[in-house]
Coordinates of all heavy atoms in Angstrom, one line a residue:
S22 N -146.9 3.6 253.9 CA -146.6 3.4 252.5 C -145.2 3.9 252.1 O -144.7 4.8 252.7 CB -147.7 4.3 251.7 OG -148.9 3.7 251.9
L23 N -144.7 3.3 251.0 CA -143.5 3.9 250.4 C -143.5 3.7 248.9 O -144.2 2.8 248.5 CB -142.2 3.1 250.9 CG -141.6 3.6 252.2 CD1 -140.4 2.5 252.6 CD2 -141.0 5.0 252.2
R24 N -142.8 4.6 248.2 CA -142.8 4.2 246.7 C -141.3 4.2 246.3 O -140.5 5.1 246.6 CB -143.4 5.5 246.0 CG -143.5 5.5 244.5 CD -144.3 6.6 243.9 NE -144.7 6.5 242.6 CZ -145.8 5.8 242.2 NH1 -146.7 5.4 243.1 NH2 -146.0 5.8 240.8
L25 N -141.0 3.1 245.7 CA -139.7 3.0 245.2 C -139.6 3.2 243.7 O -140.7 3.1 243.0 CB -139.2 1.4 245.3 CG -139.3 0.9 246.8 CD1 -138.8 -0.6 246.7 CD2 -138.5 1.8 247.7
S26 N -138.5 3.7 243.3 CA -138.4 4.0 241.8 C -137.2 3.5 241.4 O -136.1 3.5 242.0 CB -138.4 5.6 241.7 OG -138.5 5.9 240.2
C27 N -137.1 3.1 240.1 CA -135.9 2.5 239.5 C -135.7 3.2 238.0 O -136.6 3.1 237.3 CB -135.9 0.9 239.3 SG -134.8 0.3 238.2
A28 N -134.6 3.8 237.8 CA -134.3 4.5 236.6 C -133.4 3.6 235.8 O -132.2 3.1 236.3 CB -133.6 5.8 236.8
A29 N -133.7 3.4 234.5 CA -133.0 2.5 233.7 C -132.7 3.1 232.3 O -133.4 4.1 231.9 CB -133.8 1.3 233.4
P30 N -131.6 2.8 231.7 CA -131.4 3.3 230.3 C -132.5 3.0 229.4 O -133.2 2.0 229.5 CB -130.1 2.6 229.9 CG -129.3 2.1 231.1 CD -130.5 1.9 232.1
K31 N -132.9 4.0 228.6 CA -134.1 3.8 227.7 C -134.2 2.5 226.9 O -135.2 2.0 226.8 CB -134.2 5.1 226.8 CG -135.5 5.2 226.0 CD -135.7 6.4 225.4 CE -137.0 6.6 224.7 NZ -137.2 7.8 224.0
L32 N -133.1 2.1 226.3 CA -133.1 1.0 225.5 C -133.5 -0.2 226.4 O -134.3 -1.1 225.9 CB -131.8 0.8 224.9 CG -131.6 -0.6 224.0 CD1 -132.6 -0.5 222.9 CD2 -130.1 -0.7 223.6
I33 N -132.8 -0.4 227.6 CA -133.2 -1.4 228.5 C -134.6 -1.4 229.0 O -135.3 -2.4 228.9 CB -132.2 -1.3 229.7 CG1 -130.8 -1.4 229.2 CG2 -132.5 -2.4 230.6 CD1 -130.4 -2.6 228.5
F34 N -135.1 -0.3 229.3 CA -136.3 0.0 229.8 C -137.4 -0.4 228.8 O -138.4 -1.1 229.2 CB -136.5 1.3 230.3 CG -138.0 1.7 230.7 CD1 -138.4 1.5 232.0 CD2 -138.9 2.2 229.7 CE1 -139.7 1.9 232.3 CE2 -140.2 2.6 230.1 CZ -140.6 2.4 231.4
S35 N -137.2 0.0 227.5 CA -138.1 -0.3 226.6 C -138.2 -1.6 226.0 O -139.4 -2.0 225.3 CB -137.8 0.6 225.2 OG -137.7 2.0 225.6
H36 N -137.3 -2.5 226.1 CA -137.2 -3.7 225.5 C -137.2 -4.9 226.4 O -137.2 -6.1 226.0 CB -136.0 -4.0 224.5 CG -136.2 -3.0 223.3 ND1 -135.8 -1.7 223.4 CD2 -136.8 -3.3 222.0 CE1 -136.1 -1.2 222.1 NE2 -136.7 -2.1 221.5
G37 N -137.3 -4.7 227.7 CA -137.2 -5.8 228.6 C -138.2 -5.8 229.7 O -139.1 -5.0 229.8
L38 N -138.2 -7.0 230.5 CA -139.1 -7.1 231.6 C -138.4 -6.5 232.8 O -137.2 -6.7 233.0 CB -139.3 -8.6 231.9 CG -140.1 -9.0 233.1 CD1 -141.5 -8.8 232.7 CD2 -139.9 -10.4 233.5
M39 N -139.1 -5.6 233.3 CA -138.7 -4.9 234.6 C -139.3 -5.4 235.9 O -140.5 -5.7 235.8 CB -139.0 -3.4 234.4 CG -138.4 -2.6 233.2 SD -136.7 -2.6 233.2 CE -136.2 -1.7 234.7
A40 N -138.5 -5.6 236.8 CA -139.0 -6.2 238.0 C -138.5 -5.7 239.3 O -137.3 -5.1 239.4 CB -138.8 -7.8 238.0
W41 N -139.1 -6.0 240.3 CA -138.5 -5.7 241.7 C -138.4 -7.1 242.5 O -139.4 -7.8 242.5 CB -139.4 -4.7 242.5 CG -139.4 -3.3 242.0 CD1 -140.1 -2.6 241.2 CD2 -138.4 -2.4 242.6 NE1 -139.7 -1.3 241.0 CE2 -138.7 -1.1 241.8 CE3 -137.4 -2.4 243.5 CZ2 -137.9 0.0 242.0 CZ3 -136.6 -1.3 243.7 CH2 -136.9 0.0 243.0
Y42 N -137.3 -7.2 243.1 CA -137.0 -8.3 244.0 C -136.8 -7.8 245.3 O -136.4 -6.6 245.6 CB -135.7 -9.1 243.4 CG -136.0 -9.9 242.1 CD1 -136.2 -9.4 241.0 CD2 -136.2 -11.4 242.3 CE1 -136.5 -10.2 239.9 CE2 -136.4 -12.2 241.1 CZ -136.6 -11.6 240.0 OH -136.8 -12.2 238.8
R43 N -136.7 -8.7 246.4 CA -136.3 -8.3 247.7 C -135.5 -9.5 248.3 O -135.7 -10.6 247.9 CB -137.5 -7.9 248.5 CG -138.4 -9.0 249.0 CD -139.6 -8.2 249.6 NE -140.6 -9.3 250.0 CZ -141.9 -9.0 250.5 NH1 -142.1 -7.7 250.6 NH2 -142.6 -9.9 250.8
Q44 N -134.6 -9.2 249.3 CA -133.7 -10.1 249.9 C -133.5 -9.8 251.3 O -133.2 -8.7 251.7 CB -132.5 -10.1 249.1 CG -131.5 -11.3 249.5 CD -130.2 -11.3 248.5 OE1 -129.8 -10.4 247.9 NE2 -129.7 -12.5 248.4
L45 N -133.6 -10.9 252.1 CA -133.1 -10.8 253.6 C -131.6 -11.3 253.6 O -131.3 -12.2 252.8 CB -134.0 -11.5 254.4 CG -135.5 -10.9 254.6 CD1 -136.5 -11.9 255.3 CD2 -135.4 -9.5 255.3
P46 N -130.9 -10.8 254.6 CA -129.6 -11.4 254.8 C -129.5 -12.8 254.9 O -130.4 -13.5 255.7 CB -129.1 -10.7 256.1 CG -129.9 -9.5 256.2 CD -131.3 -9.8 255.6
G47 N -128.8 -13.5 254.2 CA -128.6 -15.0 254.1 C -129.6 -15.8 253.4 O -129.7 -16.9 253.5
K48 N -130.7 -15.0 252.8 CA -131.7 -15.7 252.2 C -131.6 -15.4 250.7 O -130.8 -14.4 250.1 CB -133.1 -15.1 252.6 CG -133.2 -15.2 254.1 CD -133.7 -16.7 254.4 CE -134.0 -16.8 255.9 NZ -134.2 -18.4 256.2
E49 N -132.3 -16.2 249.7 CA -132.4 -15.9 248.3 C -133.1 -14.6 248.0 O -134.1 -14.3 248.7 CB -133.0 -17.2 247.8 CG -132.1 -18.4 247.8 CD -132.7 -19.4 246.8 OE1 -133.8 -19.2 246.2 OE2 -132.1 -20.5 246.8
R50 N -132.8 -14.1 246.9 CA -133.6 -13.0 246.4 C -134.9 -13.5 245.8 O -134.8 -14.5 245.1 CB -132.7 -12.3 245.3 CG -133.0 -10.9 245.0 CD -132.0 -10.2 244.1 NE -130.7 -9.9 244.8 CZ -129.7 -9.4 244.3 NH1 -129.8 -9.0 243.1 NH2 -128.6 -9.3 245.0
V51 N -136.0 -12.9 246.1 CA -137.2 -13.4 245.6 C -137.9 -12.3 244.8 O -137.8 -11.2 245.2 CB -138.1 -14.0 246.8 CG1 -137.5 -15.1 247.4 CG2 -138.4 -12.9 247.8
L52 N -138.7 -12.6 243.8 CA -139.6 -11.8 243.1 C -140.7 -11.1 243.9 O -141.4 -11.8 244.6 CB -140.1 -12.5 241.9 CG -140.9 -11.6 241.0 CD1 -140.2 -10.6 240.2 CD2 -141.7 -12.6 239.9
V53 N -140.8 -9.9 243.7 CA -141.9 -9.2 244.4 C -142.9 -8.8 243.4 O -144.1 -9.1 243.5 CB -141.4 -7.8 245.1 CG1 -142.6 -7.1 245.6 CG2 -140.4 -8.1 246.2
A54 N -142.5 -8.2 242.2 CA -143.4 -7.8 241.3 C -142.7 -7.5 240.0 O -141.4 -7.2 240.0 CB -144.2 -6.5 241.6
S55 N -143.3 -7.8 238.8 CA -142.7 -7.7 237.4 C -143.8 -6.9 236.6 O -144.9 -7.1 236.8 CB -142.1 -8.9 236.8 OG -143.3 -9.8 236.6
I56 N -143.3 -6.3 235.5 CA -144.1 -5.7 234.5 C -143.5 -5.7 233.2 O -142.1 -5.5 233.0 CB -144.4 -4.2 234.9 CG1 -145.3 -3.5 234.0 CG2 -143.0 -3.3 234.9 CD1 -145.9 -2.3 234.4
S57 N -144.1 -6.3 232.1 CA -143.5 -6.4 230.8 C -143.6 -5.2 230.1 O -144.2 -4.2 230.6 CB -144.4 -7.5 230.0 OG -145.7 -7.0 229.7
R58 N -143.0 -5.1 229.0 CA -143.1 -3.9 228.1 C -144.3 -3.5 227.8 O -144.6 -2.3 227.4 CB -142.1 -4.0 227.1 CG -142.4 -5.0 226.0 CD -141.4 -5.1 224.9 NE -141.6 -6.2 224.0 CZ -140.9 -6.3 222.8 NH1 -139.9 -5.6 222.7 NH2 -141.2 -7.3 222.0
D59 N -145.3 -4.5 227.8 CA -146.7 -4.3 227.3 C -147.5 -3.9 228.6 O -148.8 -3.7 228.4 CB -147.3 -5.4 226.6 CG -146.4 -5.8 225.3 OD1 -146.1 -4.9 224.7 OD2 -146.3 -7.0 225.0
G60 N -146.9 -3.8 229.8 CA -147.7 -3.5 231.0 C -148.4 -4.7 231.7 O -149.2 -4.5 232.6
V61 N -148.0 -5.9 231.3 CA -148.7 -7.0 232.0 C -147.9 -7.2 233.4 O -146.6 -7.3 233.3 CB -148.5 -8.3 231.2 CG1 -149.0 -9.5 231.9 CG2 -149.2 -8.2 229.8
T62 N -148.5 -7.2 234.4 CA -147.9 -7.3 235.7 C -148.1 -8.7 236.3 O -149.1 -9.5 236.0 CB -148.5 -6.3 236.6 OG1 -150.0 -6.5 236.8 CG2 -148.4 -4.9 236.1
N63 N -147.1 -9.0 237.3 CA -147.2 -10.2 238.1 C -146.7 -9.9 239.4 O -145.8 -9.0 239.6 CB -146.2 -11.3 237.4 CG -146.2 -12.5 238.1 OD1 -147.2 -13.0 238.5 ND2 -145.0 -13.1 238.4
Y64 N -147.4 -10.5 240.4 CA -147.0 -10.2 241.8 C -146.9 -11.4 242.6 O -147.6 -12.5 242.4 CB -148.1 -9.4 242.5 CG -148.4 -8.0 241.9 CD1 -149.3 -7.8 241.0 CD2 -147.7 -6.9 242.3 CE1 -149.5 -6.6 240.4 CE2 -147.9 -5.7 241.8 CZ -148.8 -5.5 240.9 OH -148.9 -4.2 240.3
A65 N -146.0 -11.3 243.6 CA -145.9 -12.4 244.6 C -147.1 -12.4 245.4 O -147.7 -11.4 245.7 CB -144.7 -12.2 245.5
D66 N -147.7 -13.6 245.8 CA -148.9 -13.7 246.6 C -148.9 -12.8 247.8 O -149.8 -12.3 248.2 CB -149.2 -15.2 247.0 CG -149.5 -16.0 245.8 OD1 -150.0 -15.5 244.7 OD2 -149.4 -17.3 245.9
S67 N -147.7 -12.7 248.5 CA -147.6 -12.0 249.7 C -147.8 -10.5 249.6 O -147.9 -9.9 250.6 CB -146.1 -12.3 250.3 OG -145.2 -11.8 249.5

């Protein structure tokens, strides 16, 4: 297991969709997971 953390300015954090993406060399960046300001989450199937 690992835990990643992302610190954002409060205004940005409070009013936007926050997400994690991942990328391999030479590949496109792909969505891993997202969370809305209301706490609604979305995950890649993988």
Side-chain angles (χ1 to χ4, degrees):
S22 299
L23 274 178
R24 188 176 188 90
L25 306 183
S26 186
C27 171
K31 188 172 183 178
L32 177 65
I33 302 300
F34 174 85
S35 300
H36 292 86
L38 179 75
M39 300 297 298
W41 285 94
Y42 285 73
R43 65 188 181 188
Q44 186 174 26
L45 288 170
K48 302 290 187 180
E49 289 189 357
R50 201 170 291 185
V51 296
L52 178 69
V53 175
S55 65
I56 184 166
S57 73
R58 60 182 182 178
D59 299 321
V61 177
T62 58
N63 180 48
Y64 295 93
D66 288 343
S67 60

